[in-house]
Structures are given as structure tokens and as C-alpha cells.
Amino acid sequence: MCMWTSQKRKKLQKCAQQYDAVIVLGCESATETVRDVVKSSDCKVIEAMEVTGIMNAQLRFHLPGNVTFDNCKVVPISYHKKKEEK
């Protein structure tokens, strides 16, 4: 799930008005969100990444306030997995 606050959307919309294009470094959901936000302007949306999987990890918290990710692996998205098998 891609969650953007209304304030972040407004900020992006305001900033994007100053440019010809915005580059999205995120998943397809983030790209769709950006398209929705800037559709009222002439700003072009460029999708700069292709998502191939979702990160799976164990979250660890260590005092005084360090967060680490252990046993990280990428779980392929089924669409991409099926596409690669063809």
C-alpha cells in the first residue's frame, strides 16, 4: 500500500508546477499517485524504476534507538515471475 498524506500531495503538486517533468523513484503505486497529483498541470511523469519484488526482513530494535533489518530477501512479485518464465 502506498500512503501519502494530503500535505505531501499538496507539496508535490505545488513543486511540480515549476518543472516540465518529475521522476518517480518508487513502485507503480507511487507512480500512479504522482500522476494523479500532477494531472492538472502539464508536468510529465517519468517512471525511473521497475519493481521486481517486495523486501522481506525481520525488524530489530536495539537501544538506544537503532533499527536494523535482518535476514533480508526479495520476494518476487508473481507477475514478474510469470513474465520471466515465458
Side-chain angles (χ1 to χ4, degrees):
M1 179 182 291
C2 188
M3 299 184 298
W4 292 45
T5 64
S6 59
Q7 286 299 102
K8 287 290 182 187
R9 289 173 186 259
K10 288 176 187 175
K11 184 176 180 179
L12 174 60
Q13 188 176 37
K14 184 178 178 181
C15 289
Q17 291 174 351
Q18 303 172 32
Y19 298 97
D20 296 328
V22 294
I23 297 173
V24 181
L25 298 173
C27 66
E28 287 89 352
S29 181
T31 302
E32 187 63 26
T33 299
V34 172
R35 279 194 187 102
D36 287 344
V37 170
V38 302
K39 67 183 172 189
S40 62
S41 67
D42 291 331
C43 193
K44 180 179 178 183
V45 176
I46 300 168
E47 188 174 10
M49 290 178 55
E50 181 179 332
V51 176
T52 59
I54 299 169
M55 182 62 72
N56 183 294
Q58 294 174 353
L59 184 65
R60 300 275 188 233
F61 178 76
H62 308 277
L63 291 174
N66 297 322
V67 176
T68 60
F69 299 101
D70 296 334
N71 301 321
C72 295
K73 61 183 172 187
V74 175
V75 179
I77 296 175
S78 60
Y79 167 78
H80 291 289
K81 192 174 181 181
K82 290 176 186 174
K83 191 176 177 183
E84 290 173 359
E85 290 173 358
K86 291 182 180 182

